Amino acid sequence: MSYSIPLEAFVAARERIAPYIRHTPMLPMPLVHRDVHPRIHFKLENMQVSGSFKARGVFNTLLQLDPSQRQRGVITASGGNHGLALAYAANRLDVPAIVYLPERASEDRVMRIARYGAKVIKHGEAWDDANARALEHAAAEGLAYVPAFDGVSVVEGQGTVGLEMLEDLPDMDCLLVAVGGGGLIAGVSAAIRQKKPGVTIIGVEPVGAPSMSKSLAAGCRTGVQQVRTIADTLAPRSVSDLTFGVTRQYVDTVHLIDDRQMVQAMRWLWAECNQIVEPAGAAVVAALLDGGVPLGKYECPVALICGGNAAAESVFASYQQAADMLMGIN
């Protein structure tokens, strides 16, 4: 099954959400670096409102709900970032919100979502379990369900980051994008390839959650029985028909990386770029550092840093420990 989202839909989404989201920076790397492409740019969606690209698709969806739907409220399931984006957007638009998370979701994620006034409910081992319960809850109470990735309005919203990148860097000829449920890579690839067909699009996916890779290899959407990765926002058991169909149409390849590589990439981004990001946000840098993605033939590649919601408590705890040691407390 093929899906077609016209370029005009991405342009309309960009105009619709502009008052609510940030036009995030495009960061060039200094020429002193030799471990990545000398002309690589990083698109910093970790600096987006609510800390990830997810706000784009959520605002594009909520802004198109009718007043009665907004009044009743919205509901979703999330690995973390989508729920945080929904909570933030619902707070901005004065809409009641409920967010389902897997049982293993960190307390840091729960706290951040609840801070915006959304009700948080934990259920199931993986996102797919939480999502099934959220759909039941939505049907029972007549709430508007906002999908994490399997929705045209969501994909259109995520695609707006592609339009920004081409505006800021018209010479872009290659893009690396992390893959979870596929909403981001579907949106940006469809928007970019319709505006500039020659751009190469490369997905990056955890080896412990390879649902898009398996689907592309099989030629049809297929899932994995179990996911094992620290990148919880890249860990659904399956992509959707929509995101698979658009990705198959526009994306050139998907590269697999492991958890250890993502951790190393997180450290590299902090040391070299002063950016604290979550594992999913570092996935594209992991692909750059492992040498498995040949970028030598490209003049102006871009890596999309999709999110920065690293667990604040663990980050600050490590600094506190270091400070205590320096002061002779321990």
Side-chain angles (χ1 to χ4, degrees):
M1 184 181 296
S2 62
Y3 293 86
S4 176
I5 302 176
L7 180 61
E8 292 76 14
F10 296 107
V11 174
R14 188 180 183 192
E15 293 175 355
R16 186 178 297 117
I17 68 177
Y20 301 96
I21 61 107
R22 294 175 183 149
H23 186 130
T24 52
M26 188 83 85
L27 176 70
M29 287 302 299
L31 293 178
V32 296
H33 292 281
R34 295 289 180 263
D35 44 1
V36 294
H37 192 290
R39 289 178 297 281
I40 190 77
H41 285 69
F42 295 140
K43 176 64 169 174
L44 300 182
E45 279 293 284
N46 57 303
M47 299 181 69
Q48 187 54 261
V49 295
S50 78
S52 80
F53 72 94
K54 290 285 190 176
R56 296 174 181 270
V58 167
F59 270 113
N60 193 48
T61 300
L62 295 193
L63 289 167
Q64 296 181 79
L65 295 178
D66 63 47
S68 64
Q69 287 178 308
R70 289 199 202 184
Q71 187 174 16
R72 284 195 302 271
V74 295
I75 189 169
T76 196
S78 171
N81 285 343
H82 175 65
L84 187 56
L86 182 74
Y88 173 84
N91 183 283
R92 283 288 310 271
L93 300 174
D94 196 24
V95 176
I98 299 172
V99 176
Y100 275 82
L101 296 173
E103 291 285 355
R104 60 191 176 91
S106 71
E107 288 307 309
D108 180 78
R109 290 273 168 83
V110 173
M111 177 191 70
R112 292 188 190 199
I113 292 169
R115 184 178 61 189
Y116 290 121
K119 180 180 180 180
V120 179
I121 302 173
K122 285 188 173 184
H123 176 77
E125 178 185 350
W127 170 85
D128 307 77
D129 304 318
N131 189 56
R133 182 60 62 89
L135 287 168
E136 293 173 359
H137 192 151
E141 298 192 13
L143 303 177
Y145 168 76
V146 182
F149 53 86
D150 188 23
V152 172
S153 63
V154 172
V155 172
E156 290 170 352
Q158 318 307 29
T160 63
V161 70
L163 301 182
E164 278 186 21
M165 287 187 283
L166 285 177
E167 179 180 301
D168 293 343
L169 201 65
D171 293 335
M172 178 175 67
D173 55 1
C174 179
L175 174 65
L176 281 76
V177 188
V179 181
L184 177 61
I185 196 168
V188 296
S189 64
I192 289 172
R193 290 287 285 268
Q194 290 182 80
K195 196 168 179 65
K196 189 176 180 182
V199 177
T200 297
I201 309 289
I202 300 171
V204 180
E205 191 172 42
V207 70
S211 55
M212 185 65 81
S213 300
K214 287 190 66 176
S215 296
L216 292 172
C220 62
R221 185 177 70 87
T222 184
V224 295
Q225 290 187 344
Q226 191 173 38
V227 292
R228 292 183 177 276
T229 177
I230 59 170
D232 52 358
T233 56
L234 301 181
R237 294 194 187 109
S238 177
V239 297
S240 71
D241 287 334
L242 169 63
T243 59
F244 169 68
V246 176
T247 298
R248 181 170 61 172
Q249 183 177 358
Y250 291 112
V251 174
D252 295 278
T253 187
V254 176
H255 179 74
L256 294 175
I257 44 90
D258 62 36
D259 286 1
R260 184 180 298 275
Q261 291 170 308
M262 281 187 279
V263 172
Q264 292 171 345
M266 290 170 70
R267 291 173 175 157
W268 188 94
L269 278 163
W270 170 241
E272 305 297 344
C273 305
N274 291 329
Q275 298 294 312
I276 296 178
V277 305
E278 63 192 273
V284 290
V285 176
L288 292 175
L289 296 177
D290 82 354
V293 178
L295 296 182
K297 63 180 179 180
Y298 301 105
E299 292 295 323
C300 197
V302 175
L304 202 171
I305 309 299
C306 62
N309 290 315
E313 292 179 358
S314 61
V315 172
F316 293 138
S318 65
Y319 283 128
Q320 185 65 58
Q321 183 181 26
D324 290 346
M325 290 177 65
L326 287 172
M327 295 175 67
I329 295 176
N330 287 344

